[in-house]
Every structure is written in C-alpha cells, then in structure tokens.
C-alpha cells in the first residue's frame, strides 16, 4: 500500500511513500507520520492511500504519530479548499487546521503520579499519626494527585510510599488533563423563556437542523417555468419621481421595478384562519388595478407580498405610490381581522420591510422562499397545500388557494439542488461557482441585548439531542471566558451533559493540546474559541455559530489569509451542518447575501424582557473645543458620569486607541518622533516612559527634551490621546471612583481578562476604560452609561469600509448600556456629528444605513457587489518595489486579456472547489488556460503606495483587483505569482477578500 503524504514544507506537491508491514493497519487518511525527505526526517499528513505509484524505489514511512487520525476527511477537504481559494500552498493551509501543540512528533500529554486508596479487609495495620492523616484524606477523595496529597497532608513522598509498602494505596502514573477553567466554580442553569421573536428564530433553526438530520426529507421546490414572468417585459422607465422614506421602505421608487414586502402583526398577534383569509383577499384585491401581484402569502404573524406598482392612467412614466397601496391593504385588512376575531386595536406594525428585486434570479429566489415559507416552519407538510397563499393564474385570473402550474409534477422531487451560487459572497451565481449552496446558512440579526445567546444555547441543545456537536466562534479572546461560563453552566449537567472545550491563542501549549484532544476523542461536543476554532475536529458536526460575524478579527492576517466566517459557511456545506451568523450589525457582505437569497434572515428587533434600547445623544465636540483646549470629556458626559457614581451604577468609556499620546512634537523646530522602520509616528506610553511603534514594536525611552541635536528644546509636546490618558484624566476628575483600563497594554497575563471582567461584574470597578475588546458581546446589567470619546476616529482612513466599521462599532458599544432594569444612556462625542454612519447608529437603524451604503458600493463596484483581491508588493528598495509592481500589473493585464499563463508548471488541479490532488513526486502538468470572457467585469487599480507606505523596514505598493469571479481569479493569481520572476529581495502577498487595506 502506498501513502500519499503532504509534508510540512511549502512545495505544493504530495509525495508517495511505502507503508512498511509493521505499520500496516495503523495508517489512514489523516494520520500524522514521520518520513525521510533527503537527509532529513520531516513530519507530514497522509492525504490519500493508493495501490500504485508512478515512482519506483519508494522510501518507507518511519513512524506514525498518535493512535487516532488527527485530520478528518472533511477537514482535509476544507484545507484543500482554503489553499486553492486563498492562494496559499496547501501545506500551509493544512498546518493551519492543526494547532502547533498537536502537530509535534511527541504526544503532549502531561503524566502525573496519582495515589489511589485500595480496599482494605480487616483491621488497618499500625499507622503513625502522619500516616493516619494521609489515610483520612484518601478515604474521602479515593484518588488524588501525589503532589496535591503532599500539600494537603504537609508531608513528603517517603511517608506516602510507606503506605504503599503496607498495601493500603497504589501509586501509578496517569495522564493529567490541563483544564484552563478547572478552578472555576460554575453553577448549572436551565433554559430561559423566549419571546415571540426568539421562538420564531429558534423554530426556524430547529426545522433546518431536523431537515439536516433526516437526509430523506423533502422540500417542495418551484418548477422553472412557474410563474415569475420575465423580470422586465420592457425596459423600465427612468426615475421620474422618488420619495425618501422615514421607515424601512426603500429610499426611492423606480417605475417598473418589483418589490418584496413583508410586514408583521402588532405585538406578535397570531391571526386566526378566518383573519388570514381576509388579509389574503385584501392583498390580491388591488391586483391589475394599482399593482401586479406576483405572489401573496399570509403567515400567522406576518405577510409576504411580491408585487409591482402599475403605471398611473395616462401617465406611463409614473406609478401608483407603493406606500399608499400598502396603507390601503393594511387598513382594510385590519378592519376585517378585528371583525372576525372579535377584537379591537392595532393589527399591524407601522413599519414594513421592503427590498427591490434586482434580477430574474433574484425574483425566482424570493418566489421560492415565500412559497416554501409555510413548509419550512412546519405549518404544513412538504407535500401539503398551504391555504393562505395566492398568485394570478396563467391567463391573469385571480386564483385563491391555487398552486402553481406543473407543481403536481414536482411533488415527488426533493429540494436537493438549491440554486448554484458562491459559498460566501455575492456575485454572479451562474458564472462563477460549480458547487451547490446549502439553504441552511442563517443571518441572525438581533439588536444588542435581544437574547441571541439564548437562541444559540437552545439550538445547540437540539443539536446535542440529535447526537451531533457544535462550534461557537467569538471574535475576541476577552469574550471567551463569559461565553464559556454560560455554555458550561447550561451543559454541565442533565441528559445533554457534555464537556465544553476552549480553543484560543491565550491557552498554554499543554492546555491547547488537551482541549483539542477532548474534541477529537468526542468527549467534548461543543468547541468555543476564536477564528482557529472553525477547524475544531467536532464529528459529527451539526451546528456552527459565528457570533459577531461582522468582526474584522475573523480574518487571518498571515498565510493562509482565510476569513473564519466564510470558512464556517463552506465547512457547514461540506458537513451538512447549519450555520448561524449572529450580530446586531451585519456586515454588508452577509446582508447582501440575504437580499440575493443565499442566506436566510432571522430578526430579533426587540430587546429581551421588553427592555428599552439606550438613549443615544450625539455631542458636537467642535462646540466644546471652542471653550476648552484639547477636550477629552464634554460637560454633558462628565455630568452623566457623576450621576452614575452617585447612584452606584457603572460606566464604560470607549476609545479605540491605546497609549497616552499619539505623537511627540517639538513646537520650535517641528520635529516629530517617527518610527525608523515604519511610516508612522511613535506613540507615547507614560506608565512605561517610552515611545513605541504599534506596527513593528520598536520603542525608545521617552525623551525629556527635543531629540533634534540643533534644537534641544525642553518644551516638547505630546499631542493626541489614548486610553492611558483617558484613565489618567478620569482619576483626576473622579478621585474616589474605582477605575480600570482594558487594552492590550494593560493585559499582560492570560488571566487578566477574566479578572478584570470578573471584578467589573461584581461591582468592584465603577468605570471601565477600553478599546474595542470591551465593545461587543459583554453583558453587565449594572452598566447604565456608555461614553464614546472620539466616535469619528475611524471615519477618516483611506478605506471604503470606514463608514461601515464606524456604524458597527458605535452600535455595538452603545449596546453595552441599559441591559438591566435601568434604561441606558449613551454619549457619542464627535467632531463630525452629522456623518450618516453616526446618525444611523444613533437611531439603531441598520436598514437605513445599508440602503445608503449599498448604493455607494454599487456605483464603485466595491464589495459586496464585487470581490476584491489585494496584491501587496514589498521590499527594502522603494525603486525595485515600484518597478516590480508595475511589471506585475502588466503581467496581469496580459494574462487576463490573453486568457493564458505563459509559463510555469504546477501540480494537477481537479476542481474549482479545491478538491485537487497533486500528482506524485516529479509529476507536473501545465496550468489550464483561462478565457478572457471569464473576466468581463475585472477592474485593476494601481500600483500605488500602500496607505502604510513603509512597515517593518519594507516599502509597500499595492494592486487592487475587483471582479465577481474570484474563484477563477484566485487560480490565475496563484499561478502568476508562482511563475513571476522578481528580484530576490522583493515579494508579493496575495490577500483574497481583504478586510484591512493598509
């Protein structure tokens, strides 16, 4: 038998090795092995077993590491996809799925001496007083580590050994697991009650989990001919009139366009069957009068309507008002509903959710979604008719409770072939992707404090009951202790009892090793951690939760430059698992995938227990600066902090910049202390009395006079501010307050995270100052005030996502306030207070922000409308780097216009999904050709100096490519960068779907 091995060397090849008879039966796909490679012995992973090899005189595998395969076939497939899509060697991708502590040749278990009491018949032998004390401890504990016993009994090992000689105890070597939470005392908790929104979201997730658990289950699918007509029978007229909306209707109405409208009942009123029938009649009453109704569906607590406003009589360039038509439908139906249900009062919420249908495929997607909605949540079976759905027949007649033509012919077919689309982003569905997209990716959009975590917990409970496991990703390590505590408390007892494993970089190597093996051995069926936890070997996997899915920290900044959220979606598809992306501020990419039908939207628009959203007050710091030089706190914020201190309530102050001052300047000669390695100024840290670079780590002692030899002015000035200065100023303003700072400078030890958050939870801290690590996910009911020092700090950077990040950060930080019984208050200090990102965040209006932001992205072809690949060329000679960047652009233009890579050979690639195999040693095949027709929308920008032109002594130039067909472009970029001849001291970094453009 031959083993095909991927080595821990980035050679982009697999190598064939002979399996010796003594190792036969010990090696499988995924096994870690040690093999000879030249004069060395190197580690690798078996990626295939074959009968024959094109090579002769194969060398034998030296050693098998571990009794169990470490890489499951699905994880191996995922690693291959990462290497293909993110343009990195497959060996690097494969290393990323295994923690370093697990990859070592020697197994990293900690062995320890344990003392166990033996059964004694008859009387005890004569014991000394010290031996009696030891025996009493052992009678209570039965088994205990030797070192712990010595400490409790205050004795030595010799005394214990004498008990062994008397046959009372047994001392043996055992594996001692290192549990990072072993000292935590966690009390079990029970499931909490859910409100109507939470119940609806959970029921949808459970329905999807059940569908995944039953491979034979079917879901009725619309046949291709039914009925959505062509998107435009004639090209739509131009915009003749538009109306800005106050609520959640679109910003403008475009004549000839189709809309998907949804509105819900007031206070989750459940409509009776008779009430649903009356509402359905009101929906299709205006068909062919003021609207063309494609499909109407009345659910127990909401309504779907797919329709197009018709032209006004004698005015073909104008249409009936969408808002007026909706008002008529809702008013008429509300009257009828109250009549048949014998009630009074409001029936519908004022707000309606409304989106523009943008394409024929989009229309079909929404049609299928509405048609299957009653079946998906279990109102009717997959083969049953839902009585409260309507669409016009082929001749335009009104048909109540009809089903689509040819639907009968489709009854026996399962919905096993969802539309082809890219796995994780928006884009051209029919051109780019060759794989099927699971409909079971959900975007859980819940406002801060809406109870998303409880939905996660109960969805995981259902997953465990099915015999499967779950992965929970959190963006910040600081969130892990709080998350782990809640999950351990829920699943530490009861019929669903399981271990909860933790995976993140702040664990010791031994802890990481033991936690990983808990998962691989199946003892821990829940894995929680930061982005690398997406590779946790949970098997079988039923559910992946990505909390705060919008966070940039899910993106890996070193090779492989994967995005954990997108990898989670792909892994969910590979393993037939449900994926939930949870957030209060969705990324535009994820929400765009909702609008085009790739993800399913679940919404929690109210806080749990009917708690109010915090009141947000925007302070114009320009007015404050006229009265006070270099202000940090506005008078309003200082007064609010004083009031909270008097009431014994807590405050969080947020500033996303650490240090004391951002630069050191001389007012006489103009000298600025800059990093010798990077094109940034040095930050002053007063506690350490140093100035340091936050890019490369360079630091110098803080000078007391101007470093310029010709100046030497003692009146040097530190300008700007960071969290350290905020903390210092607070101590002067509020000398009796207990203040702590939480940033990477203040947290030196791994337990500092838990200690500070624990003290804050117990009320030992009055004011917590911090950077973005305190901005999301934390739940402290006594926090009633949040202050954002410089809200517009992240707005003025050269990045198309600047507005999106500012909106997300402000919304998340604001959400820390008012999560208890007292209503929260938020003060947003800004020098540009009327910026749309700040104003939309003030109103907690994500829908409004999305609508205005997506228009800007569409105009400039930025994500999520298209995809981005960022090429960074770097070297220590600026001229060489610039010349190399210009040469690279020419090569890219040549390849994408000719459709062929001229030179270079690599291993054989077999599929777009990345399930490729490299041929055996020495076997190569030419790169495939690429048709220029694959890139009709390709935009190449640059080369230009990077926003951070010099970093860690390297000059940097960038080329940005934008297209919808990123998978194919990734293949070209991979081959071009491998074959391109550049100077030895110049290198190229390829970043697919970057989140940081600096």
């Amino acid at each position: 038998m031959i083993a095909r091995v991927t080595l821990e060397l980035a050679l982009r090849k697999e190598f064939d090795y002979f399996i010796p008879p003594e190792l036969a039966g010990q090696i499988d796909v995924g096994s870690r092995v040690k093999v000879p490679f030249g004069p060395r012995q190197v580690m690798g992973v078996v990626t295939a077993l074959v009968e024959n090899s094109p090579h002769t005189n194969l060398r034998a595998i030296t050693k098998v590491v571990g009794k169990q395969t470490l890489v499951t076939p699905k994880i191996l497939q995922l690693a291959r996809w990462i290497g293909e899509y993110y343009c990195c060697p497959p060996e690097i991708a494969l290393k990323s799925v295994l923690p370093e502590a697990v990859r070592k040749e020697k197994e990293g278990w900690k062995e320890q001496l344990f003392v166990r009491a033996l059964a004694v018949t008859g009387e005890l032998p004569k014991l000394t007083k010290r031996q009696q004390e030891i025996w009493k401890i052992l009678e209570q504990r039965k088994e205990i580590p030797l070192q712990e016993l010595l400490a409790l009994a205050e004795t030595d090992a010799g005394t214990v050994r004498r008990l062994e000689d008397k046959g009372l105890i047994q001392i043996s070597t055992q594996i001692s697991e290192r549990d990072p939470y072993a000292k935590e005392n966690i009390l079990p908790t029970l499931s909490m009650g859910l409100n109507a929104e939470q119940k609806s979201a959970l029921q949808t997730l459970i329905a999807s989990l059940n569908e995944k658990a039953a491979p034979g289950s079917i879901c009725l699918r619309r046949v291709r001919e039914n009925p959505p007509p062509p998107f435009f029978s004639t090209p739509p007229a131009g915009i003749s009139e538009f109306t800005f909306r106050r609520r959640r209707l679109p910003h403008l109405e475009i004549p000839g366009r189709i809309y998907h409208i949804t509105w819900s009942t007031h206070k989750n009123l459940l409509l009776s069957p008779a009430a649903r029938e009356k509402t359905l009649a009101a929906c299709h009453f205006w068909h062919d009068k003021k609207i063309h109704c494609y499909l109407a569906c009345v659910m127990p607590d909401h309504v779907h309507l797919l329709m197009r406003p018709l032209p006004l009589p004698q005015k073909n360039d104008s249409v009936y008002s969408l808002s007026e038509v909706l008002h008529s439908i809702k008013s008429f139906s509300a009257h009828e509903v109250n009549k048949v249900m014998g009630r009074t009062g409001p029936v519908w919420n004022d707000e309606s959710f409304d989106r523009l249908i943008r394409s024929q495929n989009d229309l079909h997607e929404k049609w299928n979604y509405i048609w299957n909605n009653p079946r998906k949540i279990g109102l009717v079976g997959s083969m049953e008719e839902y009585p409260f759905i309507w669409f016009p027949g082929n001749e335009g007649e009104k048909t109540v409770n009809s089903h689509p033509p040819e639907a009968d012919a489709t009854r026996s077919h399962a919905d096993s072939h969802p539309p082809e689309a890219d796995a994780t982003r928006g884009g051209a569905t029919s051109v780019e992707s060759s794989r099927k997209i699971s409909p079971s990716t959900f975007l859980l959009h819940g406002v801060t404090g809406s109870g998303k975590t409880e939905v996660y917990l109960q969805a995981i409970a259902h997953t465990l009951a099915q015999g499967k496991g779950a992965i929970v990703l959190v963006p910040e390590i600081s969130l892990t202790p709080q998350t782990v505590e809640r999950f351990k408390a829920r699943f530490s007892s009861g019929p669903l009892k399981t271990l909860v494993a933790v995976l993140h970089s702040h664990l010791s190597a031994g802890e990481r090793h033991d936690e990983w093996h808990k998962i691989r051995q199946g003892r821990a069926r829940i894995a929680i951690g930061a982005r690398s936890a997406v590779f946790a070997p949970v098997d079988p996997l039923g559910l992946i939760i990505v909390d705060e899915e919008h966070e940039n920290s899910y993106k890996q900044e070193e090779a492989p430059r994967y995005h954990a959220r997108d990898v989670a979606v792909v892994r969910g598809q590979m393993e037939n698992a449900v994926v939930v992306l949870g957030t209060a501020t969705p990324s535009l990419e994820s929400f765009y995938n909702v609008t085009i039908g790739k993800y399913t939207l679940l919404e929690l628009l109210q806080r749990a227990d009917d708690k109010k959203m915090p009141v947000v007050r925007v302070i114009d710091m320009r007015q404050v600066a006229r009265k006070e030089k270099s202000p940090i706190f506005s008078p309003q914020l200082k007064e609010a902090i004083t009031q909270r201190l008097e009431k014994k309530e807590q405050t969080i102050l947020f500033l996303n910049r650490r240090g004391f001052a951002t630069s050191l300047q001389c007012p006489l000669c103009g000298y600025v202390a800059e990093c010798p390695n990077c094109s940034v100024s040095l930050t002053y840290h007063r506690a350490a009395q140093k100035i340091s670079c936050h890019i490369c780590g360079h630091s110098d002692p803080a000078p007391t006079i101007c470093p310029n030899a010709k100046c030497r002015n003692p009146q040097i000035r530190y300008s700007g501010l960071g969290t350290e200065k905020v903390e210092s100023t607070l101590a002067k303003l509020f000398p009796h307050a207990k203040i702590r700072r939480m940033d990477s400078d203040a947290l030196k030890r791994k337990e500092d995270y838990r200690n500070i958050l624990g003290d804050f939870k117990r009320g030992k801290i009055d004011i917590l100052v911090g950077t973005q690590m305190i901005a999301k996910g934390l739940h402290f009911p006594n926090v009633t005030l949040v202050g954002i020092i410089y809200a517009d700090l992240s707005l003025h950077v050269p990045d198309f996502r600047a507005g999106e990040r500012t909106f997300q950060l402000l919304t998340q930080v604001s959400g820390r306030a008012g999560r208890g019984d007292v209503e929260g208050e938020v003060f947003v200090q800004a020098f540009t207070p009327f910026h749309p990102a700040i104003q939309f965040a003030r109103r907690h209006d994500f829908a409004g922000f999305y609508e205005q932001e997506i228009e800007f992205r569409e105009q400039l072809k930025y994500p999520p409308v298209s995809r981005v690949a960022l090429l960074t060329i770097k070297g220590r000679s600026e001229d060489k780097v610039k010349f190399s960047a210009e040469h690279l652009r020419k090569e890219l233009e040549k390849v994408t216009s000719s459709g062929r890579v001229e030179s270079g050979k690599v291993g054989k690639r077999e599929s777009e999904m990345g399930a490729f195999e490299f041929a055996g040693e020495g076997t190569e095949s030419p790169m495939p050709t690429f048709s220029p027709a694959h890139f009709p929308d390709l935009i190449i920008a640059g080369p230009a100096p990077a926003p951070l032109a010099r970093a860690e002594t390297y000059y940097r130039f960038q080329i940005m490519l934008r297209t919808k067909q990123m998978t194919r472009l990734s293949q070209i970029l991979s081959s071009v960068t491998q074959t391109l001849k550049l100077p030895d001291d110049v290198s190229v970094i390829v970043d697919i779907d970057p989140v940081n453009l600096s």
Side-chain angles (χ1 to χ4, degrees):
M1 181 67 75
I2 309 299
R4 192 151 288 162
V5 180
T6 295
L7 306 179
E8 290 188 349
L9 303 171
L11 301 174
R12 296 181 183 267
K13 285 185 179 181
E14 291 179 337
F15 295 86
D16 291 350
Y17 286 90
F18 172 67
I19 300 176
E22 62 270 18
L23 297 181
Q26 301 181 38
I27 295 177
D28 201 350
V29 174
S31 296
R32 291 277 292 170
V33 293
K34 189 175 185 180
V35 296
F37 188 76
R40 297 181 290 169
Q41 296 281 325
V42 298
M43 298 297 297
V45 174
V46 176
T47 52
L49 296 176
V50 296
E51 295 291 338
N52 301 298
S53 171
H55 307 287
T56 57
N57 300 323
L58 295 178
R59 304 174 76 177
I61 293 174
T62 306
K63 180 181 179 182
V64 181
V65 178
K67 298 177 182 178
Q68 187 180 27
T69 59
L70 300 186
V71 185
T72 65
K74 293 295 184 182
I75 293 292
L76 179 60
Q77 183 185 5
L78 185 65
R80 285 171 164 167
W81 177 84
I82 289 173
E84 174 87 351
Y85 181 75
Y86 289 103
C87 294
C88 77
E91 298 89 347
I92 301 298
L94 195 54
K95 284 176 67 175
S96 70
V97 307
L98 287 176
E100 184 178 357
V102 177
R103 295 200 307 266
K104 293 180 179 179
E105 178 182 352
K106 184 179 179 181
E107 289 191 281
W109 296 107
K110 178 184 177 181
E111 293 186 342
Q112 193 173 1
L113 290 174
F114 274 75
V115 181
R116 181 167 64 88
L118 299 177
V120 178
T121 57
E123 294 184 2
L124 287 173
K126 187 176 181 180
L127 301 176
T128 66
K129 184 177 180 181
R130 182 71 65 187
Q131 291 172 343
Q132 289 176 3
E133 292 175 356
I134 296 172
W135 181 248
K136 287 180 181 179
I137 295 173
L138 287 172
E139 279 187 314
Q140 293 176 350
R141 300 284 291 271
K142 303 302 181 185
E143 190 173 50
I144 187 173
L146 175 61
Q147 292 300 320
E148 187 177 343
L149 176 62
L150 297 180
L152 288 174
E154 298 180 350
T155 187
D156 56 26
T159 306
V160 178
R161 290 286 183 186
R162 293 187 189 97
L163 287 176
E164 186 180 31
D165 295 338
K166 294 180 179 182
L168 297 177
I169 65 171
Q170 181 184 49
I171 302 176
S172 59
T173 301
Q174 298 181 28
I175 290 176
S176 175
E177 285 191 329
R178 292 150 289 197
D179 184 352
Y181 293 88
K183 297 180 181 179
E184 296 288 331
N185 184 21
I186 298 176
L187 299 177
T189 61
L190 300 175
S191 296
M192 299 171 61
L194 304 179
N195 61 29
E197 289 181 331
Q198 290 173 307
K199 286 179 182 177
S200 176
L202 180 62
Q203 286 170 359
T204 304
L205 294 178
I206 288 176
S208 184
L209 288 166
N210 289 340
E211 183 180 344
K212 295 291 185 182
S217 61
I218 64 174
C219 178
L220 184 65
R221 180 170 177 76
R222 305 293 299 172
V223 293
R224 188 172 52 187
E225 294 5 353
N226 284 324
F231 186 41
F232 296 123
S233 55
T234 58
I239 301 173
S240 60
E241 178 183 354
F242 61 86
T243 305
F244 287 95
R245 304 297 185 183
R246 292 183 178 178
R247 298 190 180 95
R248 299 177 59 190
L249 294 171
H251 289 284
L252 50 87
E253 292 183 22
I254 305 177
R257 289 300 183 103
I258 303 169
Y259 297 87
H260 173 213
I261 303 142
T262 302
W263 67 90
S264 58
T265 57
H266 184 68
K267 292 186 177 180
N268 304 301
L269 171 69
L270 293 178
L271 302 178
S272 67
R276 278 180 267 174
E277 185 174 355
K278 293 291 185 181
T279 303
L280 188 64
C283 288
H284 67 70
F285 175 79
W286 295 107
H287 174 67
D288 280 345
K289 296 176 183 177
K290 291 187 177 182
I291 62 170
H292 182 88
C293 179
Y294 295 93
L295 188 63
C297 179
V298 183
M299 304 291 282
D301 59 352
H302 64 278
V303 178
H304 291 292
L305 187 61
L306 202 57
M307 50 82 76
R308 170 172 54 87
L310 294 175
L312 290 167
Q314 287 84 44
K315 288 186 179 181
N316 290 332
D317 59 343
S318 297
V319 298
Y320 282 100
S321 167
L322 181 61
S323 58
E324 289 181 8
V325 172
L326 292 179
H327 177 73
S328 299
I329 294 173
K330 293 166 78 173
S331 296
F332 177 80
S333 61
H335 179 267
E336 296 297 313
V337 166
N338 280 337
K339 185 188 298 184
V340 299
M341 292 185 67
R343 65 182 300 277
T344 59
V347 172
W348 308 111
N349 286 333
D350 290 338
E351 294 184 348
S352 301
F353 179 73
D354 182 331
R355 67 174 295 277
L356 202 66
I357 299 297
R358 299 178 181 274
S359 66
Q360 180 72 40
N361 183 66
D362 196 5
L363 182 62
H364 278 271
E365 290 286 336
K366 284 303 169 192
W367 178 280
N368 288 335
Y369 168 78
I370 296 171
W371 179 263
N372 284 314
N373 199 206
R375 295 158 182 80
K376 205 166 189 180
I377 66 173
L379 289 179
V380 293
S382 58
M383 294 300 178
E384 299 177 58
E385 291 285 359
Y386 181 66
F388 308 110
I389 196 165
W390 179 92
F391 69 95
N394 289 336
E395 286 75 39
E397 71 273 18
K398 302 179 180 69
T399 309
V400 180
N401 189 26
S402 66
H403 57 78
E406 301 183 26
D408 291 332
T410 68
R411 295 299 168 100
S412 61
H413 296 287
D415 187 18
S416 57
H417 302 290
E420 292 187 0
D422 183 89
T424 58
R425 306 278 179 153
T429 58
S430 61
V431 176
E432 168 153 17
S433 179
S434 64
R435 54 188 308 278
K436 306 299 182 183
I437 295 305
S438 166
S440 296
T441 299
F442 297 89
L443 176 63
L444 180 58
H445 177 202
V447 298
T448 55
S450 59
K452 295 186 290 293
T453 303
E454 185 62 30
V455 175
Y456 300 158
L457 287 164
Q458 296 195 27
I460 289 177
H462 190 82
T463 304
L464 295 177
Q466 293 178 330
K468 296 184 178 181
I471 295 173
V472 181
L473 301 184
V474 293
E476 294 280 354
I477 296 171
S478 59
L479 298 181
T480 308
Q482 183 171 274
T483 305
V484 170
E485 180 180 340
R486 295 188 69 174
F487 279 74
K488 278 180 174 282
R490 184 63 57 87
F491 299 109
S492 61
S493 61
L496 300 178
K497 180 179 179 180
T498 180
L499 295 178
V500 177
V502 184
L503 296 173
H504 59 73
S505 59
H506 275 223
L507 300 179
S508 68
E511 290 171 341
R512 195 172 177 86
H513 172 276
D514 291 0
E515 292 292 292
W516 190 91
H517 278 284
K518 283 181 191 176
I519 305 168
R520 185 68 185 98
Q521 294 166 359
R523 294 184 294 123
R525 293 196 289 153
I526 301 174
I528 299 175
R531 60 175 175 263
S532 62
V534 74
F535 305 118
V538 177
D539 188 26
L541 179 63
L543 179 65
I544 305 177
I545 293 170
V546 184
D547 195 26
E548 310 294 357
E549 63 85 22
H550 64 279
E551 279 295 321
N552 295 337
S553 56
Y554 282 124
K555 175 74 172 179
Q556 174 95 346
E557 295 298 335
E558 300 84 28
R561 292 174 172 80
Y562 66 88
H563 198 299
R565 176 195 63 211
D566 299 345
V567 172
V569 174
V570 173
R571 184 175 179 186
Q573 294 162 14
M574 289 179 176
E575 303 208 29
N576 199 35
V578 173
V579 181
V580 180
L581 311 179
T583 178
T585 53
S587 63
L588 261 67
E589 286 84 357
S590 293
F591 200 80
Y592 184 76
N593 280 339
V594 168
T595 65
I596 62 176
K598 292 183 181 178
Y599 297 168
T600 300
L601 179 65
L602 306 175
E603 289 188 300
L604 306 177
L605 302 179
Q606 303 293 327
R607 279 191 159 183
D609 300 327
D610 295 324
K611 292 182 173 63
K612 294 182 179 179
M613 295 296 291
V615 177
V616 181
R617 310 185 192 281
V618 179
I619 308 299
D620 188 347
M621 292 301 287
R622 295 172 299 180
Q623 304 294 330
V624 180
R626 293 190 181 103
K627 303 175 183 178
E628 182 181 345
K629 187 178 180 181
S630 302
I632 297 177
F633 303 108
S634 63
Q636 298 95 319
L637 181 56
K638 284 189 282 189
E639 176 62 24
I641 294 174
T642 301
Q643 292 176 4
R644 267 55 183 194
L645 291 173
E646 292 173 353
K647 297 176 183 178
K648 304 297 183 182
E649 295 170 358
Q650 292 174 298
T651 299
I652 288 178
L653 296 178
F654 169 79
L655 175 63
N656 203 22
R657 180 186 282 166
R658 57 193 175 96
F660 189 88
T662 53
S663 64
L664 179 151
Q665 298 174 319
C666 176
L668 291 183
C669 69
Y671 171 86
V672 176
E674 294 183 341
C675 176
N677 305 321
C678 312
S679 53
V680 295
S681 60
L682 296 174
T683 300
Y684 173 50
H685 294 259
R686 191 169 72 170
Q689 280 299 303
K690 67 178 182 179
I691 50 177
S692 62
C693 174
H694 291 169
I695 304 298
C696 69
H698 171 84
S699 65
D700 292 316
T704 56
I705 61 174
C706 176
N708 185 351
K710 297 180 179 180
C711 178
R712 314 301 287 177
N713 172 30
Q715 303 299 321
I716 56 174
R717 180 182 303 160
Y718 292 98
S719 61
L721 78 154
T723 50
E724 191 177 348
K725 188 172 184 179
V726 172
E727 181 187 29
S728 174
T729 306
L730 280 171
K732 296 175 182 176
L733 292 173
F734 308 103
H736 301 295
K738 297 182 284 290
I739 304 165
R740 287 295 299 270
R741 174 165 52 94
M742 194 167 175
D743 57 27
S744 57
D745 295 325
L747 305 177
K748 300 298 183 183
R749 299 171 300 175
K750 67 177 182 178
E751 61 269 19
D752 286 344
Y753 288 95
R754 263 183 287 172
N755 292 340
I756 292 179
L757 292 179
D759 289 345
F760 194 59
K761 182 178 181 180
R762 290 185 287 271
K764 295 182 179 180
I765 299 171
D766 297 318
I767 304 173
L768 182 64
V769 181
T771 54
Q772 63 181 359
M773 63 177 61
I774 67 169
K776 78 281 293 186
L778 300 179
H779 178 78
F780 298 109
N782 197 39
V783 173
T784 60
L785 175 66
V786 167
I788 302 172
I789 307 301
Y790 280 164
D792 44 3
L793 192 65
S794 57
L795 278 176
H796 313 299
V797 295
D799 193 324
F800 67 88
R801 289 191 178 95
E804 179 185 359
R805 288 175 182 162
T806 300
F807 172 83
Q808 291 169 342
L809 203 53
L810 297 186
T811 304
Q812 291 286 342
V813 178
S814 300
R816 300 314 106 205
R819 299 169 79 95
D821 296 329
V822 181
E823 186 175 357
E825 192 174 20
V826 180
F827 285 86
V828 179
Q829 298 185 162
F831 286 91
T832 53
F834 300 106
H835 190 281
I838 294 176
Q839 288 299 317
F840 280 116
R842 180 179 68 84
R843 299 193 296 268
H844 311 287
D845 183 9
F846 172 77
F849 175 78
Y850 175 83
E851 289 292 341
Q852 66 90 28
E853 184 72 10
I854 199 67
E855 291 174 10
F856 150 68
R857 304 285 182 91
E858 286 175 337
Q859 290 173 3
L860 299 181
K861 306 301 180 187
Y862 279 125
V865 179
S866 66
R867 315 281 286 280
V868 166
L870 188 67
L871 277 59
T872 302
I873 304 92
K874 67 176 190 176
R876 289 193 167 90
S877 169
E878 186 174 11
D879 291 336
K880 280 186 180 181
V881 172
K882 183 179 180 180
F883 176 80
S884 299
E886 292 170 347
H887 175 58
L888 176 56
R889 165 152 187 160
K890 292 176 182 177
E891 290 298 310
L892 290 172
E893 289 175 336
K894 185 191 304 182
V895 169
T896 53
S897 61
S898 68
R900 184 175 180 84
V901 180
E902 297 295 337
S903 62
K905 295 181 178 182
V906 299
K908 179 181 178 183
R909 301 170 188 257
E910 292 184 347
S911 80
E912 182 143 330
M913 186 56 206
F916 55 85
E917 288 187 358
F918 291 99
E921 185 175 5
T923 303
E924 296 180 328
S925 58
M927 279 298 299
T929 60
F930 299 91
S931 167
H934 289 157
F935 302 102
D937 62 338
L938 181 64
I939 299 173
I940 304 179
L948 183 61
R950 188 165 179 256
E952 299 177 324
T953 73
Y954 288 94
Y955 291 94
R956 305 158 76 245
F957 275 71
Q958 290 180 341
I959 298 174
M960 179 185 286
L961 298 95
R962 281 170 278 169
T963 182
K964 291 182 178 180
Q965 291 106 67
M966 185 53 70
T967 304
R968 296 183 186 277
L969 182 61
S970 295
Q971 294 178 356
I972 287 186
L973 292 177
S974 181
S975 56
V976 167
T977 53
Q978 288 178 57
T979 58
L980 188 69
K981 296 187 181 298
L982 293 175
D984 292 337
D985 55 349
V986 175
S987 60
V988 179
I989 296 172
V990 180
D991 192 356
I992 305 297
D993 300 327
V995 299
N996 184 4
L997 303 183
S998 62

